[in-house]
Amino acid sequence: MQASRLPRYVDICVIPILNLLTALFVAGIIIAIIGENPFTALSVMLKGAFVYKGGLGYTLFYTTNFIFTGLAVAVAFHAMLFNIGGEGQAAMGGLGIGLVALSLGGILPVLVVIALAILGSALFGAIWGFIPGYLQAKRGSHIVITTIMFNFIASAIMVWLLAGMLMAPNQMSPETISFQNGVMLWQFHDILNRLGFDIGRSPLNLSFVLALICCFLVWLLIWRTHLGYRIRATGFSPKASTYAGYQPETIIIITMAISGALAGMMAVNEILGVQHRVILNFTSGYGFTGIAVALMGRNHPLGIIFASLLFGALFQGGAELDFEFQTITRDMVVMIQGLIILFSGALAYMFNPMLEKLFLNEERLKEPNND
Amino acid sequence: MKKKILEQKNGGQKSPFAVSLKSICKSFGPVRANDEICLNVSSGTIHGIIGENGAGKSTLMSILYGFYQPDSGDIQVDGKAAIFKQPSDAIRLGIGMVHQHFMLVPNFTALENIILGSEGKMGLKNGLQNAKLKLEELKSTYGLEVDLDNVTEDLPVGIQQRIEILKALYRGARVLILDEPTGVLTPQETDQLFEILLALKSEGVTILLITHKLHEIMAITDEVSVMRQGKMVANTLTKKTSPEWLAEQMVGRSVLVNTKYESGKVGSVALSADGIGVTDKRGFDSLKNATFELRSGEILGIAGIAGNGQSELLSVLSGITPPSRGNFRINDKIFDSKNHCSPGLMRELGLSHVPEDRHAEGLVLPFQAFESVILGYEKNPSFGTGFFTKPEQIQAHCARLQDSFDVRPQNPTLISSQFSGGNQQKLVLSREISSAPKILLVGQPTRGVDIGAIEFIHKTLIKMRDSGCAILLVSVELEEILSLSDRILVMNSGEIMGIVSKANTTKAMLGKMMAGIPLEKAIEEKN
């Protein structure tokens, strides 16, 4: 990562907002070209994401997915590892939940099974991060290549299992039987209903709380623990890490396992929170979008929460757009998401030189007063 | 009217100055690196620019070869105004730069490196042949002996530097900027470089030599300019000045250039090495059969030309690499190839290590100072509890260290890379000394460090020794070794040539041993 000469608040707040506005501006032009009013479209999107009944719930539900995969990418990035295997790690996490829930459901108390299922998702994700980490550390196989390949391997394993030994009997779709005995995470609308509030149905469930806890834990890990210190030291300078006796190989392996575990826990939201059975392709690109989330959130948990919220709102508001306008299709929404990823991910530093000039000039103007 | 006449005059005859800079200013954020710098460099002379680290020498030269643009001020080349937007503008006007850290592609041949970027059009072969002819001519004119077909990474540093010089000349440089050229060279290579520079001068090339070594200025330059804290504080003819006066100008006060310290009171053996050898990945024996004892209360200086096994010795003793052969013992604990040691374990045994390369190893440059000063010590209970670190406590610790080691600026949250070289070294030293080590390994403690900091570091090491610490000092600066050490161990090609006490040796004898003559023979030759 390049060292920015800009004030911290500019780097953290101004640049992401500027990138976002640019993306929305370009998207607005395109919407205008196809003959719709961009401002109406924006308002429909915002209403869909936050105002309509259940909209906020859906937004936060998607947000949960992005928090997990964004954290996964961010943790790896602190060790200068580029984990783009979030898809595969999440899929394996789903498998972990399925195996625990299907084998222990009804045998152990429900709460224990749920806790074990969550651990199972973290463990299976961790294994799927550990192997590429090991290969990088001990064999020098590049993490980007191996994590991509592991996405395909995970996908193939899932197809093989769900269309084979784990497939529910007497039906045609590749999925397991539903978890029995109430092995699932409660959804917010149920909880609030029981307390007498009616907030409209949405898949938002307790995983959201788990995601926020994970954000705090990641912050604690990276900035307040010995391991986090070692991870950052190794990421910035492997030589200094060797000198200090941290063994960069070990750090790489541990970091990738933690990263994989976080991505794996995305499955808690989808499988344990909503589907209550293991299905194919439930990861549907969240793992990849996590890269954009981490980039936009500057690899900091707080930034990741906001970036996840943005992408969650886009997902939900985008669906609303598709619904309201004849001319705006699902593909159009994907295009808008693409623009945001483009401007806040790939072109994240586009405005840096300009802002640097602006801010450094200002400082220079102030300087004579100091002399 | 007067101005017009002057202009005509300038147009009519050649300016006596190859380069002249007028009121150059350059700031980086709040830091004013160059403040109203004026400099005139006469054609065909060697002009030295001297100053402490962070005085703004490198910034000024970067402006001159077009890497930075000045905020204000003018540059004139041969009396004509010039504006450099990028280095290629400068080279077009005949200004070439030889960087401190070479810009060479390691697996290219010397020839390929030299023509890189100006290799002509399609069909490399023709270009190569032409280039070779031109280079042979340059080589013979200036006495720059380089085998053009050798792969660069296999060549000694001195030769790599010649490739850099040839590269600049090949592009038509008439003004050559050398940034700390002797920092990486052996004494012999330095002498050869100076011969080359004199040959270049006699052929009319103007040379700008940036350095912080006083004796180099005295040895070779015609004129010298002194920079201090971004300002040009003196311009004078070299023969009219003295090292002491220059040193005073550099730091703004008098310093003792070469202090001789008293010997220490030697105690018991703190570390003993028995036949340590290291075979590297390529199967090359970089350290052979190193046997010696290090006692508490003494400084054992390791003299030798860089790359003769000193780094490997430090690496083994600090626990980073296990020895391939032999063993060493600390407090009855024996470490060899099987009995694995680690830097963490060494620290627990009271061994601290100030590494040779403070940028890559000693500090994590993007870390804030307080994070860098716990590198390797983050588990110390005073920095947190259990698995957790307490940033407030570490910051307070860092502030105390910065205060007692006079690290400037005294700001625990400043990024490590933003301290000057001397202050970075003080940060590393403060970290390693604050654990009150019984054994201290020190590699190149004053490389690229300004005079004020050198004095401080030397005094600190002597204080440590007097308090009973055993110090192993690796340095390529023979003066430093002679000034600080009680005993001196000389290495050549990974082997120990001999160990002598400071009282019984001379610079000449050490020089012979550094060149590969064992102690016994060196004594014979002397008699």
Side-chain angles (χ1 to χ4, degrees):
Chain A
M1 229 168 31
Q2 72 219 80
S4 177
R5 289 186 290 163
L6 289 167
R8 226 173 119 75
Y9 75 93
V10 177
D11 201 36
I12 292 173
C13 297
V14 178
I15 287 183
I17 290 173
L18 215 56
N19 289 333
L20 176 64
L21 290 179
T22 316
L24 288 179
F25 177 72
V26 176
I29 291 178
I30 294 171
I31 288 172
I33 288 173
I34 61 167
E36 297 291 347
N37 182 341
F39 295 100
T40 324
L42 185 65
S43 114
V44 166
M45 247 177 101
L46 287 176
K47 278 182 193 158
F50 298 108
V51 181
Y52 293 154
K53 209 173 180 188
L56 182 63
Y58 270 95
T59 299
L60 292 179
F61 168 73
Y62 295 128
T63 302
T64 311
N65 283 341
F66 293 129
I67 288 177
F68 281 121
T69 54
L71 285 178
V73 175
V75 165
F77 203 81
H78 280 289
M80 287 296 156
L81 296 166
F82 207 34
N83 176 14
I84 51 181
E87 288 285 301
Q89 288 145 15
M92 293 311 277
L95 180 63
I97 292 175
L99 292 181
V100 171
L102 294 172
S103 61
L104 300 177
I107 298 174
L108 295 173
V110 149
L111 284 179
V112 176
V113 177
I114 290 175
L116 286 177
I118 293 173
L119 287 180
S121 73
L123 179 69
F124 272 60
I127 292 171
W128 224 239
F130 168 86
I131 302 171
Y134 178 85
L135 292 173
Q136 165 86 63
K138 303 285 184 186
R139 292 275 174 272
S141 321
H142 201 282
I143 203 89
V144 169
I145 309 293
T146 44
T147 47
I148 290 181
M149 294 200 299
F150 268 63
N151 285 340
F152 288 103
I153 298 173
S155 163
I157 289 177
M158 291 301 274
V159 170
W160 176 59
L161 288 175
L162 292 181
M165 57 188 90
L166 290 182
M167 190 161 99
N170 307 323
Q171 49 97 49
M172 303 295 284
S173 58
E175 55 189 42
T176 65
I177 55 169
S178 289
F179 304 155
Q180 307 295 310
N181 309 309
V183 175
M184 57 155 147
L185 282 182
W186 301 296
Q187 300 189 337
F188 274 93
H189 67 90
D190 273 343
I191 300 172
L192 290 174
N193 259 339
R194 271 176 219 172
L195 296 173
F197 300 99
D198 180 22
I199 58 158
R201 290 188 65 86
S202 77
L204 181 66
N205 58 75
L206 284 178
S207 310
F208 180 61
V209 179
L210 183 66
L212 294 182
I213 293 172
C214 283
C215 283
F216 175 71
L217 290 179
V218 165
W219 174 82
L220 209 61
L221 168 75
I222 297 294
W223 281 282
R224 288 292 185 278
T225 65
H226 299 148
L227 180 60
Y229 179 84
R230 292 174 171 206
I231 289 174
R232 286 185 299 133
T234 306
F236 283 133
S237 173
K239 269 189 162 181
S241 175
T242 308
Y243 155 77
Y246 300 158
Q247 295 170 317
E249 295 85 8
T250 318
I251 300 285
I252 286 173
I253 295 172
I254 294 174
T255 309
M256 277 308 291
I258 295 173
S259 172
L262 286 163
M265 272 152 69
M266 193 213 95
V268 175
N269 192 35
E270 286 282 345
I271 300 297
L272 214 50
V274 183
Q275 302 292 346
H276 310 141
R277 65 206 150 112
V278 185
I279 58 168
L280 270 188
N281 301 329
F282 67 89
T283 54
S284 54
Y286 296 118
F288 292 124
T289 314
I291 300 169
V293 169
L295 259 171
M296 196 166 185
R298 293 290 184 273
N299 300 307
H300 191 287
L302 206 58
I304 286 170
I305 292 177
F306 286 114
S308 300
L309 191 62
L310 169 74
F311 278 92
L314 268 174
F315 254 59
Q316 172 54 18
E320 200 65 34
L321 266 186
D322 180 22
F323 188 68
E324 292 258 327
F325 293 89
Q326 287 263 298
T327 43
I328 300 179
T329 60
R330 182 76 210 152
D331 301 323
M332 197 71 174
V333 176
V334 173
M335 188 262 322
I336 296 173
Q337 285 159 3
L339 280 173
I340 289 183
I341 294 176
L342 181 70
F343 280 99
S344 59
L347 301 175
Y349 295 101
M350 184 169 68
F351 291 110
N352 265 33
M354 207 183 74
L355 285 172
E356 256 172 32
K357 254 188 197 159
L358 202 73
F359 277 90
L360 296 180
N361 267 338
E362 225 167 71
E363 270 173 25
R364 201 176 302 145
L365 288 176
K366 278 183 210 158
E367 203 171 280
N369 304 336
N370 301 338
D371 289 345
Chain B
M1 186 67 185
K2 202 176 171 186
K3 202 176 172 191
K4 207 166 190 183
I5 294 170
L6 267 177
E7 269 173 17
Q8 278 174 349
K9 210 176 168 187
N10 270 351
Q13 72 187 64
K14 218 173 165 229
S15 159
F17 300 125
V19 171
S20 74
L21 302 175
K22 295 200 165 68
S23 309
I24 297 284
C25 292
K26 176 79 185 171
S27 302
F28 297 101
V31 181
R32 195 160 266 213
N34 283 167
D35 193 0
E36 295 283 326
I37 300 281
C38 295
L39 175 69
N40 289 318
V41 182
S42 311
S43 290
T45 61
I46 301 184
H47 193 114
I49 295 182
I50 192 164
E52 291 192 289
N53 283 49
K57 299 169 299 202
S58 295
T59 306
L60 188 66
M61 291 306 116
S62 297
I63 287 173
L64 186 53
Y65 89 94
F67 186 72
Y68 290 140
Q69 282 73 53
D71 298 335
S72 63
D74 301 309
I75 304 173
Q76 290 188 354
V77 178
D78 287 330
K80 288 187 208 83
I83 293 170
F84 300 147
K85 289 226 162 67
Q86 57 216 20
S88 60
D89 296 338
I91 192 74
R92 208 169 296 131
L93 287 176
I95 296 175
M97 177 87 178
V98 176
H99 292 270
Q100 188 176 4
H101 304 285
F102 306 143
M103 309 282 182
L104 298 171
V105 184
N107 55 354
F108 271 19
T109 64
L111 179 62
E112 285 169 329
N113 259 312
I114 290 168
I115 65 164
L116 184 68
S118 55
E119 58 276 284
K121 302 213 173 60
M122 307 278 284
L124 200 51
K125 201 169 178 196
N126 245 338
L128 281 176
Q129 282 310 322
N130 293 338
K132 218 167 182 177
L133 286 177
K134 195 172 157 191
L135 283 168
E136 291 299 338
E137 201 184 309
L138 283 175
K139 271 166 56 181
S140 58
T141 318
Y142 300 116
L144 281 155
E145 228 12 86
V146 174
D147 187 346
L148 293 174
D149 296 322
N150 273 339
V151 174
T152 312
E153 62 190 335
D154 301 335
L155 295 171
V157 204
I159 305 291
Q160 293 192 19
Q161 190 171 52
R162 285 184 207 169
I163 296 175
E164 283 278 7
I165 296 175
L166 268 176
K167 213 163 111 182
L169 294 173
Y170 179 73
R171 284 160 175 71
R174 300 298 296 161
V175 177
L176 210 54
I177 308 169
L178 293 119
D179 188 3
E180 303 279 3
T182 61
V184 288
L185 301 185
T186 64
Q188 288 85 342
E189 284 175 327
T190 304
D191 290 342
Q192 287 164 359
L193 172 70
F194 284 178
E195 273 167 34
I196 290 167
L197 294 185
L198 290 173
L200 287 167
K201 176 179 137 182
S202 68
E203 294 293 324
V205 176
T206 309
I207 292 161
L208 269 161
L209 180 70
I210 305 165
T211 179
H212 58 263
K213 293 183 185 161
L214 293 165
H215 62 92
E216 289 175 3
I217 292 286
M218 299 313 292
I220 195 168
T221 62
D222 301 304
E223 287 175 47
V224 55
S225 301
V226 185
M227 288 186 77
R228 184 170 77 223
Q229 292 175 356
K231 294 197 171 72
M232 192 63 86
V233 291
N235 282 298
T236 177
L237 290 176
T238 308
K239 58 187 172 204
K240 285 188 183 166
T241 183
S242 68
E244 289 76 18
W245 186 81
L246 284 175
E248 217 170 293
Q249 295 299 309
M250 275 167 71
V251 296
R253 65 190 159 89
S254 309
V255 287
L256 302 165
V257 178
N258 258 323
T259 319
K260 293 270 179 274
Y261 295 98
E262 295 286 309
S263 287
K265 274 192 186 149
V266 179
S268 57
V269 176
L271 181 154
S272 65
D274 187 10
I276 298 178
V278 170
T279 306
D280 66 17
K281 277 179 193 156
R282 293 171 299 172
F284 178 73
D285 287 342
S286 41
L287 185 63
K288 298 167 202 158
N289 197 23
T291 304
F292 63 90
E293 282 180 344
L294 175 66
R295 291 170 173 275
S296 56
E298 75 162 348
I299 295 182
L300 176 62
I302 310 282
I305 298 158
N308 275 283
Q310 302 97 312
S311 308
E312 287 76 8
L313 183 64
L314 281 180
S315 178
V316 167
L317 295 181
S318 62
I320 294 171
T321 39
S324 313
R325 294 171 300 282
N327 64 61
F328 64 102
R329 71 170 73 201
I330 300 169
N331 300 346
D332 300 330
K333 280 211 164 60
I334 301 182
F335 300 99
D336 54 27
S337 59
K338 286 188 197 104
N339 197 350
H340 203 60
C341 46
S342 74
L345 183 59
M346 288 298 153
R347 279 186 200 103
E348 277 169 32
L349 288 174
L351 181 143
S352 281
H353 174 204
V354 176
E356 291 182 290
D357 186 343
R358 63 172 169 273
H359 282 169
E361 296 183 321
L363 299 165
V364 179
L365 288 180
F367 267 6
Q368 291 171 314
F370 79 91
E371 294 176 299
S372 271
V373 297
I374 60 163
L375 186 67
Y377 296 94
E378 76 283 350
K379 286 196 171 162
N380 185 319
S382 60
F383 302 148
T385 40
F387 293 112
F388 298 102
T389 54
K390 286 251 169 67
E392 309 78 37
Q393 288 175 15
I394 301 168
Q395 284 190 27
H397 170 74
C398 180
R400 280 194 299 276
L401 289 183
Q402 288 184 335
D403 187 47
S404 57
F405 280 78
D406 189 27
V407 177
R408 278 173 283 184
Q410 276 193 24
N411 178 0
T413 55
L414 192 68
I415 306 293
S416 306
S417 61
Q418 291 175 349
F419 288 91
S420 73
N423 286 310
Q424 288 178 339
Q425 188 69 328
K426 283 185 194 174
L427 278 176
V428 176
L429 198 65
S430 73
R431 177 184 71 215
E432 297 305 323
I433 286 180
S434 68
S435 67
K438 293 192 195 77
I439 304 169
L440 182 62
L441 311 177
V442 188
Q444 319 295 352
T446 56
R447 177 146 72 189
V449 165
D450 54 75
I451 288 186
I454 288 177
E455 200 189 355
F456 182 89
I457 290 168
H458 283 180
K459 286 200 169 136
T460 308
L461 291 178
I462 293 291
K463 218 184 333 176
M464 284 301 289
R465 179 201 69 183
D466 290 343
S467 70
C469 183
I471 300 178
L472 185 94
L473 168 72
V474 172
S475 174
V476 290
E477 302 284 343
L478 203 50
E479 299 286 346
E480 183 166 76
I481 295 276
L482 275 167
S483 167
L484 294 175
S485 310
D486 299 301
R487 290 188 302 148
I488 299 164
L489 184 159
V490 186
M491 293 188 75
N492 176 283
S493 321
E495 277 179 271
I496 294 177
M497 291 292 115
I499 304 176
V500 290
S501 73
K502 180 164 72 178
N504 297 336
T505 190
T506 59
K507 230 176 175 179
M509 208 163 99
L510 292 176
K512 276 183 190 164
M513 286 160 74
M514 281 163 75
I517 300 167
L519 176 61
E520 301 79 35
K521 271 199 180 162
I523 294 173
E524 270 172 36
E525 279 180 29
K526 194 179 158 197
N527 295 333

